[in-house]
Amino acid sequence: MDVSTPANAPWLVVGLGNPGPEYAMNRHNVGFMVADLLAERIGGKFKRAGKAQAQVVEGRIGPPGPAGRRVILAKPMSFMNLSGGPVNALRDFYKVPVANVVAVHDELDIDYGTLRLKLGGGDNGHNGLKSVTKAMGADYHRVRFGIGRPPGRMQVADFVLKDFSSAERKELDYFVDRAADAVECLVIDGLERAQSTYNS
């Protein structure tokens, strides 16, 4: 954790995706899937967040008492390429330092199901990250969920907006569960511990 970040500052964990049932199982929506599982774990239900174009759940991650971390889980409802506005509005409203923001997103350049955690960096052509970085700078955490490259000559835009294949779906629950574990580890134990445990 950044030394300038107060230990009791809340965390904002954002699953990136597109709203609407037609997108629910798309590869591009894996961030929403992880956020949904985290909400289930803390026993909360997503609700519309005031003026911000997002759904949120507030709760705590980790052991009960002071060791637990206050966390706001969020799903922007603005569509992927406009995620930055809602994320920055929530960050501002809940007074979350940029270093305590975690974006969970799909990543083309990593094999399916592989996780990589990092702080800062570029957007690698990901429109959701591009929008978030434009809104608040690049110094936030990312949990990158590998979806692999499109087969043959399929366009990237078509690939990310397709549902996971039936073969992929057999392992999807396991990988989403592991990504949720990685988010919890990052928030509770810090980036280095989470990287050494979950980066593969």
Side-chain angles (χ1 to χ4, degrees), residues 27-88:
R27 293 182 178 93
H28 223 18
N29 267 45
V30 74
F32 274 21
M33 296 174 200
V34 175
D36 284 337
L37 179 56
L38 286 165
E40 204 178 293
R41 288 183 180 183
I42 65 174
K45 283 200 178 352
F46 277 100
K47 298 187 187 95
R48 198 79 186 191
K51 292 179 182 174
Q53 232 183 328
Q55 291 184 349
V56 299
V57 174
E58 294 180 60
R60 295 187 87 78
I61 283 178
R69 304 271 186 225
R70 183 171 165 235
V71 68
I72 298 98
L73 306 173
K75 297 192 293 185
M77 294 285 118
S78 56
F79 287 96
M80 180 69 87
N81 58 354
L82 298 171
S83 301
V87 173
N88 204 36

Side-chain angles (χ1 to χ4, degrees), residues 50-139:
K51 292 179 182 174
Q53 232 183 328
Q55 291 184 349
V56 299
V57 174
E58 294 180 60
R60 295 187 87 78
I61 283 178
R69 304 271 186 225
R70 183 171 165 235
V71 68
I72 298 98
L73 306 173
K75 297 192 293 185
M77 294 285 118
S78 56
F79 287 96
M80 180 69 87
N81 58 354
L82 298 171
S83 301
V87 173
N88 204 36
L90 290 171
R91 189 188 71 75
D92 205 38
F93 179 77
Y94 288 104
K95 298 181 171 44
V96 178
V98 173
N100 279 23
V101 177
V102 183
V104 185
H105 64 92
D106 57 305
E107 179 65 65
L108 286 159
D109 287 339
I110 303 176
D111 290 340
Y112 172 60
T114 299
L115 292 178
R116 296 273 163 76
L117 288 82
K118 69 173 189 172
L119 174 63
D123 56 57
N124 207 18
H126 192 289
N127 288 331
L129 292 182
K130 199 174 287 185
S131 177
V132 172
T133 297
K134 188 177 175 188
M136 63 178 206
D139 296 330

